[in-house]
Amino acid sequence: MIYRLIGRAVVVALSFFLAVIVAAVFFTLAKVGREAVLADNEIDQTLRFFEFTFVVGLVAAGAGRLAVVPALAAIIATEAFRLQSLLIHMLIGITISIGGILVGLEQPNAPPDTMLAAVAAGAVGGFVYWILAGRWAGNWRGPSGPRSTPPLSKEA
């Protein structure tokens, strides 16, 4: 069972990492728009791609730094209670992203487009995490036993 736990920890860590990166890409595209990435010629296209990649890296680093503790608490809860619902994982992602925006901007009145982008990016991050790891939350412990089987009665 210890090997299953270690394997699960690796899957969870990689899934969290990928979910943060995908959410950062989505958030950055939502904020700067598609036009900021596209260019007319090949040289400008290459430069804009590297600029976009750099910005995504910064967003992912900031989001990961702000989200690691609440995400770890949520991961422990979903693993402990075997919460495998897509809706739960997306709501957790939304909650963590909104909290990260409010803490990261250090102002309670964030612009509406930033909050909307954070909600969408959190939902995308929660979806990516669910696809990679959340669907199997708690399965490393083995079967949970029968759920609703009635007890057998001995009538002779």
Side-chain angles (χ1 to χ4, degrees):
M1 184 159 119
I2 190 74
Y3 296 115
R4 293 172 86 184
L5 177 61
I6 292 170
R8 182 67 184 162
V10 169
V11 168
V12 163
L14 290 175
S15 299
F16 173 72
F17 178 72
L18 289 174
V20 167
I21 289 175
V22 171
V25 167
F26 189 87
F27 182 79
T28 305
L29 279 175
K31 286 297 289 178
V32 300
R34 195 173 71 104
E35 294 80 22
V37 181
L38 301 178
D40 295 336
N41 59 34
E42 199 170 306
I43 293 173
D44 285 346
Q45 182 70 32
T46 304
L47 288 175
R48 286 187 179 186
F49 173 75
F50 285 119
E51 289 172 355
F52 179 75
T53 305
F54 180 72
V55 170
V56 166
L58 290 177
V59 170
R65 177 182 60 87
L66 292 171
V68 70
V69 173
L72 183 62
I75 288 168
I76 289 172
T78 57
E79 291 289 330
F81 296 112
R82 296 179 190 235
L83 302 175
Q84 301 172 350
S85 168
L86 171 61
L87 180 63
I88 288 173
H89 283 85
M90 289 178 76
L91 288 175
I92 289 170
I94 290 169
T95 305
I96 290 173
S97 68
I98 289 174
I101 288 293
L102 293 178
V103 169
L105 292 178
E106 296 177 355
Q107 59 184 1
N109 299 328
D113 63 332
T114 302
M115 292 303 288
L116 186 59
V119 167
V124 168
F127 177 74
V128 169
Y129 180 81
W130 177 79
I131 286 288
L132 298 174
R135 294 187 290 175
W136 299 284
N139 285 352
W140 58 272
R141 298 184 301 183
S144 62
R147 293 196 174 196
S148 63
T149 56
L152 298 174
S153 61
K154 291 187 176 185
E155 295 182 38

